[in-house]
């Protein structure tokens, strides 16, 4: 079966998901997670991509990022993934593939859908039962987006900047949004978009992205 065409529209954020091969753990301990974050920062600097949210789970990773040139996010993920996989094989004496195939990339409409996707990612550890409050999980971007620690290496998107006039007010608004949780239909919609690699946004946005995907597949 032919691969589904990957849509890459510069300037639009993408929800990126990478999983461990056969759903095996990606991280052996917290030192591995620190290395992943360090490599992530290096890959961001090298590619020029902008990161808005992340969550390192046990056997998968969620990232929300924007590229500004064609292929920028693919270059970011390739550099990060290959460097991390190579080191993990050395550290743990393993061989073979660390990741399960190529990463998934889901286009996200740039308005409330983007903030909803950020909350989905930052609340992932709570839904997984790892912590009771997202601030208790050090391997996600919640503390940064909530204004509890500096935002770096994240870059504030226009949608996030719209939450308030100051960094303090934006952090407060984001905390309140996360504390209110996500509606069941919002969680289901994002999970479905990941499962089907389908755009996340309004019906018109999804239709436009699907039409573009079809046109690429016909070439």
């Amino acid at each position: 079966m032919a691969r589904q065409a990957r849509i890459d529209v510069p300037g639009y954020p993408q929800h990126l998901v990478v999983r461990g091969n056969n759903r095996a753990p990606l991280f052996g301990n917290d030192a591995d997670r620190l290395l992943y974050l360090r490599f992530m920062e290096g890959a961001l600097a090298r590619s020029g991509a902008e990161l808005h949210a992340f969550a390192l789970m046990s056997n998968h990773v969620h990232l929300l990022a924007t590229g500004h040139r064609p292929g920028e996010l693919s270059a970011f993920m390739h550099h990060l993934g290959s460097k991390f996989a190579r080191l993990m094989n050395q550290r743990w004496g393993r061989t073979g593939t660390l990741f399960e195939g190529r990463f998934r990339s889901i286009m996200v409409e740039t308005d409330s859908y983007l903030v909803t996707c950020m909350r989905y990612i930052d609340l992932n550890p709570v839904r997984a039962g790892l912590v009771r409050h997202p601030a208790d999980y050090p391997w996600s971007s919640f503390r940064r987006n909530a204004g509890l620690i500096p935002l770096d290496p994240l870059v504030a998107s226009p949608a996030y900047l719209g939450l308030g006039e100051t960094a303090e007010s934006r952090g407060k608004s984001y905390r309140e949004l996360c504390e209110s949780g996500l509606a069941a239909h919002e969680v289901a919609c994002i999970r479905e978009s990941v499962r089907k690699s389908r755009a996340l946004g309004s019906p018109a946005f999804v239709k436009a992205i699907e039409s573009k995907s079809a046109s690429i597949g016909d070439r």
Side-chain angles (χ1 to χ4, degrees):
M1 181 180 293
R3 282 185 175 185
Q4 182 176 356
R6 191 190 293 281
I7 300 299
D8 184 10
V9 182
Y12 275 93
Q14 294 188 34
H15 181 188
L16 310 168
V17 183
V18 61
R19 300 186 184 279
N21 192 33
N22 293 321
R23 303 300 175 97
L26 289 172
F27 310 102
N29 53 33
D30 285 350
D32 291 349
R33 294 178 176 86
L34 283 171
L35 284 169
Y36 190 91
L37 293 181
R38 190 180 79 188
F39 291 164
M40 183 178 73
E41 291 187 28
L44 287 169
R46 177 172 175 161
S47 68
E50 295 180 347
L51 186 68
H52 313 303
F54 67 86
L56 312 188
M57 307 302 287
S58 60
N59 64 358
H60 66 284
V61 172
H62 290 271
L63 304 170
L64 183 62
T66 300
H68 299 286
R69 299 185 305 274
E72 191 169 276
L73 290 181
S74 290
F76 160 65
M77 293 297 287
H78 174 74
H79 180 70
L80 170 58
S82 61
K83 190 171 183 179
F84 184 72
R86 189 162 54 246
L87 184 60
M88 288 303 99
N89 283 351
Q90 294 172 357
R91 278 173 58 83
W92 297 105
R94 64 181 306 281
T95 59
T97 302
L98 178 65
F99 300 108
E100 183 181 77
R102 63 176 186 164
F103 67 92
R104 291 180 179 270
S105 60
I106 298 92
M107 298 287 297
V108 181
E109 192 168 10
T110 52
D111 52 23
S112 62
Y113 289 96
L114 178 59
V115 176
T116 298
C117 192
M118 289 171 61
R119 293 159 59 207
Y120 174 87
I121 291 172
D122 281 334
L123 289 172
N124 226 333
V126 177
R127 286 192 303 275
L130 301 177
V131 292
R132 296 186 63 182
H133 192 278
D136 296 330
Y137 194 74
W139 311 111
S140 80
S141 52
F142 175 80
R143 295 179 183 178
R144 292 171 171 82
N145 285 320
L148 304 178
I149 62 175
L151 194 65
D152 186 70
L154 303 186
V155 175
S157 67
Y160 177 80
L161 291 174
L163 295 179
E165 295 184 355
T166 65
E168 181 178 348
S169 63
R170 288 191 290 272
K172 181 175 183 293
S173 295
Y174 189 77
R175 290 196 302 273
E176 291 174 348
L177 285 171
C178 287
E179 286 168 1
S180 68
L182 287 171
H185 75 273
E186 292 175 314
V187 173
C189 183
I190 294 176
R191 285 178 174 169
E192 186 73 355
S193 74
V194 172
R195 189 177 71 84
K196 294 184 176 180
S197 294
R198 187 181 186 188
L200 178 67
S202 65
F205 177 78
V206 172
K207 183 177 180 180
I209 295 299
E210 289 180 343
S211 296
K212 187 173 182 64
S213 177
S215 67
I216 292 176
D218 290 338
R219 292 175 187 173

